[in-house]
Amino acid sequence: MTLLFAVLAALAAGYGLGRYQPWRRLGDWVNWQLRFHLNRWNSSRPRQAALFALLLATDPVNTVWAWWHRKDPPPPKSPPVRLRDTQAPEEPTR
């Protein structure tokens, strides 16, 4: 009975952590700290390194992709929108 209770408690804890998503929330917070508070903490390189390590731990795929593509040229601009005339043509006057 104790084993069954332990398994059910572990499943409930895993379900709760999966619903709460602490790693995603931590990764979003770290990304926000690095992106919008960089100027205020410019002299704190160890803090930035720790935040980057947390971001790498919480979202490794997107972090590595962003690091590899940080100096890519911007995508080409789309062509301008072409508007067509929706008014009916006027009748020629006699």
Side-chain angles (χ1 to χ4, degrees), residues 1-11:
M1 189 64 148
T2 305
L3 180 62
L4 178 64
F5 179 71
V7 169
L8 288 176
L11 286 174

Side-chain angles (χ1 to χ4, degrees), residues 17-68:
L17 284 175
R19 294 291 291 169
Y20 184 66
Q21 298 177 345
W23 289 108
R24 180 173 297 244
R25 291 173 190 261
L26 181 62
D28 290 345
W29 177 80
V30 169
N31 188 15
W32 185 78
Q33 289 290 320
L34 283 175
R35 183 171 295 185
F36 299 115
H37 292 282
L38 194 59
N39 293 337
R40 187 169 53 164
W41 301 100
N42 200 12
S43 62
S44 178
R45 298 287 182 209
R47 180 180 184 272
Q48 290 179 12
L51 287 172
F52 182 74
L54 276 174
L55 190 60
L56 190 61
T58 57
D59 195 6
V61 174
N62 288 331
T63 303
V64 170
W65 186 89
W67 183 262
W68 284 346

